[in-house]
Amino acid sequence: WAWDMEAESGIDREIWVGANIFTNSIYYEKPYSPMFLVNEELVLFDLYNDLLCRIDAYNCEVFDSIPVEFHKNRRKTNWEREIIQDRVTKKLYALYDHVGNTTLREIDPETGELSTEIPLYYRYTEHVTVYNNKIYYIYRPFESMQKKYLYVQDLDLISGG
């Protein structure tokens, strides 16, 4: 495999083997820099440089970059390393989980600030999605081994908006 990759790409086979082994090790963490389309601009989270970049969607010029810190100290803040977008309202949310209790916090793309926590009713949620100011998620009751339920929470009722 490594010989074939070297012949095909010109990159040394030892580099191919090293990259393949390292990306399958416990020390490898997949890069995460999500980007979302919000109205007429792209919002890029450059979490490695602690920036939220706002880019003009038409000519791809960066017109603003804001320092962000919500992603730092993941063990203290319990950030799940996930940012989700409501595709209808275009709002962005950071997902947090502390001992099975999941909360969302809205991210303001203008300032990078977070809103107050929006707790989910059930614990141990999976596949959290926000659509049209409603939070959809799957949860499994504590006693049940196999039964899973789809639950919907209205964001307007929770956040008072």
Side-chain angles (χ1 to χ4, degrees), residues 8-147:
E8 195 175 300
S9 67
I11 299 172
D12 192 23
R13 65 185 173 277
E14 287 145 3
I15 293 173
W16 280 106
V17 171
N20 188 35
I21 290 171
F22 179 68
T23 56
N24 291 321
S25 76
I26 61 171
Y27 302 109
Y28 177 72
E29 192 170 295
K30 198 165 57 169
Y32 185 69
S33 283
M35 181 168 55
F36 302 96
L37 181 63
V38 178
N39 301 326
E40 313 273 306
E41 62 189 50
L42 297 170
V43 177
L44 171 69
F45 290 89
D46 183 1
L47 302 177
Y48 300 98
N49 292 317
D50 305 327
L51 293 172
L52 183 154
C53 300
R54 294 172 53 210
I55 304 166
D56 187 335
Y58 295 108
N59 59 15
C60 296
E61 289 183 18
V62 177
F63 63 86
D64 195 9
S65 61
I66 305 157
V68 291
E69 296 195 6
F70 68 88
H71 64 289
K72 292 187 173 184
N73 299 324
R74 279 180 51 202
R75 290 190 178 160
K76 281 187 176 179
T77 62
N78 301 308
W79 181 51
E80 279 293 298
R81 199 170 188 231
E82 187 173 357
I83 299 171
I84 54 179
Q85 181 183 34
D86 183 336
R87 297 206 183 254
V88 174
T89 64
K90 304 297 184 196
K91 293 180 181 177
L92 302 171
Y93 299 92
L95 190 65
Y96 293 86
D97 185 83
H98 179 66
V99 196
N101 296 312
T102 305
T103 57
L104 293 175
R105 295 184 77 179
E106 184 180 340
I107 303 169
D108 184 352
E110 304 279 329
T111 63
E113 297 294 318
L114 298 175
S115 70
T116 58
E117 290 186 342
I118 303 166
L120 300 187
Y121 184 75
Y122 289 105
R123 294 180 69 184
Y124 306 110
T125 60
E126 300 172 14
H127 306 292
V128 178
T129 305
V130 180
Y131 186 81
N132 202 17
N133 278 333
K134 294 185 187 322
I135 308 169
Y136 296 86
Y137 56 90
I138 296 173
Y139 78 98
R140 180 182 56 83
F142 185 69
E143 310 83 30
S144 172
M145 288 297 285
Q146 295 180 348
K147 287 188 181 181

